[in-house]
Amino acid sequence: MHSHAAHDHREPTGKALTSAAQKTLEAAGEQWTAMRQRIFEVLATFDKPASAYDIAEAVSKAEGRRVAANSVYRILDLFVGANLARRVESANAYVANSHPGCLHDCIFLVCDSCGQTTHLDDDAITASVRGVATGAGFSPKRPVIEVRGTCADCEDPD
Amino acid sequence: MHSHAAHDHREPTGKALTSAAQKTLEAAGEQWTAMRQRIFEVLATFDKPASAYDIAEAVSKAEGRRVAANSVYRILDLFVGANLARRVESANAYVANSHPGCLHDCIFLVCDSCGQTTHLDDDAITASVRGVATGAGFSPKRPVIEVRGTCADCEDPD
DNA sequence: CATTATATGTGATATTGTAACGTCGCGGGT
DNA sequence: ACCCGCGACGTTACAATATCACATATAATG
């Protein structure tokens, strides 16, 4: 996937991904706490965007104690700020960034049927989006590019 | 603005816009009721994206009776479906479509500081977004392209 | 007019997101 | 060791956004 990118995106998984996330967060001058690790791990295991409440529920179950959505939001905000996670605006949900530390604007393909969300990078497109914004006298900070539609599996279930 | 579009976009305002909206909705086989007109008018007078609750409140005040958010959502959904209005996903809010009847994918520039939102059309960009989605085996239905940032006025207040 | 479909009203409830404030543990200064 | 300040997290309350179920009203149709 996104093999068109100029640089290679090997996607770390499991422990490697968590470890990469830790390095990135610490490099940003933030602490890597047990709670943050737990939330990152849970987020990373979801196969589709997870809401803060989804995560709170999953963590609560895993820890055997109540974890409030509140706390999850705080940590998700931190993750988004440090590029460990992304918010999918059209789904009110979050996904782990599979290559933290590299900070593309990104494109999400969100299936209306199953919720599966694919992450693409296409610097040409995102640059042109920023370009038209700038051309209109606007200072772009965060392009939100998401495509709602139907994924291959739902479109054509063999 | 968006003078690059292949066809002319004169932007109807006030009564002309309402009338254009009516024609479009009726052409879609839906009724143009007093309630729908009221909601469209109120939406069109907002100078920035309005939430369903903003609209419910404004209509309630204008009508001197309680109009529930519920009813507003129903009508907004209808409007979005008929292209009379658009939802700004990253703001949980809606804007009137200033040229109903013509249905571009569109690009919103949303100012994080003042909320002002500018609507651009750029068919080259939206086509390329749909293109990468299709290239990934995805069937795009509704691209969501929004740019969060700072508008000219907030960036550089003379 | 009677029948049916569509539109709206109403209250309840679910989901998503923030605010305010308290507690705990950790590190630095004294 | 003690105090202090700070960041992380817990806890409660609440605000904002969104949907559901069902009643009523209004419009379209025969």
Side-chain angles (χ1 to χ4, degrees):
Chain A
M1 207 175 303
H2 52 265
S3 52
H4 53 286
H7 57 290
D8 202 10
H9 275 164
R10 250 173 299 272
E11 317 242 330
T13 52
K15 296 172 82 79
L17 176 54
T18 300
S19 158
Q22 173 175 0
K23 280 183 185 54
T24 303
L25 193 61
E26 288 174 342
E30 301 284 354
Q31 302 176 31
W32 184 255
T33 66
M35 185 69 192
R36 289 172 185 185
Q37 172 160 339
R38 189 55 121 167
I39 287 182
F40 186 85
E41 286 169 348
V42 165
L43 175 60
T45 61
F46 274 87
D47 66 335
K48 53 189 72 165
S51 76
Y53 283 82
D54 291 339
I55 295 167
E57 186 182 346
V59 173
S60 294
K61 188 169 304 177
E63 304 259 307
R65 71 196 171 93
R66 184 186 112 96
V67 172
N70 199 337
S71 302
V72 175
Y73 273 111
R74 276 193 297 235
I75 291 175
L76 287 174
D77 287 349
L78 182 78
F79 284 178
V80 169
N83 205 40
L84 266 58
R86 305 272 192 171
R87 179 174 165 83
V88 182
E89 294 290 345
S90 70
N92 296 329
Y94 299 80
V95 293
N97 185 343
S98 52
H99 34 82
C102 100
L103 27 62
H104 296 282
D105 297 334
C106 58
I107 303 175
F108 291 115
L109 311 180
V110 185
C111 180
D112 290 329
S113 167
C114 70
Q116 276 284 352
T117 293
T118 303
H119 173 191
L120 299 183
D121 289 315
D122 188 313
D123 293 342
I125 289 178
T126 59
S128 63
V129 170
R130 283 179 178 265
V132 290
T134 302
F138 189 88
S139 295
K141 296 291 179 300
R142 184 173 65 94
V144 173
I145 307 179
E146 302 173 5
V147 185
R148 307 295 309 214
T150 313
C151 71
D153 288 351
C154 291
E155 185 71 15
D156 176 24
D158 291 330
Chain B
M1 207 177 303
H2 53 266
S3 53
H4 53 285
H7 58 291
D8 203 11
H9 273 163
R10 250 173 300 271
E11 316 241 330
T13 52
K15 296 172 79 80
L17 176 54
T18 301
S19 157
Q22 173 175 0
K23 280 182 185 54
T24 303
L25 193 62
E26 288 174 342
E30 300 284 353
Q31 303 175 30
W32 185 255
T33 67
M35 184 72 194
R36 288 171 186 185
Q37 173 161 338
R38 189 56 120 168
I39 287 182
F40 186 85
E41 286 169 348
V42 165
L43 176 59
T45 61
F46 274 87
D47 65 336
K48 54 188 71 166
S51 76
Y53 282 82
D54 291 338
I55 295 167
E57 186 182 345
V59 173
S60 295
K61 189 168 306 179
E63 304 259 308
R65 71 196 171 92
R66 185 185 107 100
V67 173
N70 198 340
S71 302
V72 175
Y73 273 110
R74 275 193 299 237
I75 291 176
L76 286 174
D77 287 350
L78 182 79
F79 285 178
V80 170
N83 205 39
L84 266 59
R86 305 272 193 171
R87 179 175 164 83
V88 182
E89 293 290 347
S90 69
N92 297 328
Y94 299 81
V95 293
N97 185 344
S98 52
H99 34 82
C102 101
L103 28 60
H104 297 282
D105 298 333
C106 58
I107 302 176
F108 291 114
L109 311 180
V110 185
C111 179
D112 291 329
S113 166
C114 70
Q116 276 285 351
T117 294
T118 303
H119 172 193
L120 300 183
D121 289 315
D122 188 313
D123 293 344
I125 289 177
T126 58
S128 64
V129 170
R130 284 179 178 265
V132 291
T134 302
F138 189 87
S139 294
K141 296 290 179 299
R142 184 174 66 94
V144 172
I145 308 179
E146 301 173 5
V147 185
R148 307 295 309 216
T150 313
C151 72
D153 287 351
C154 290
E155 184 72 15
D156 177 25
D158 292 330

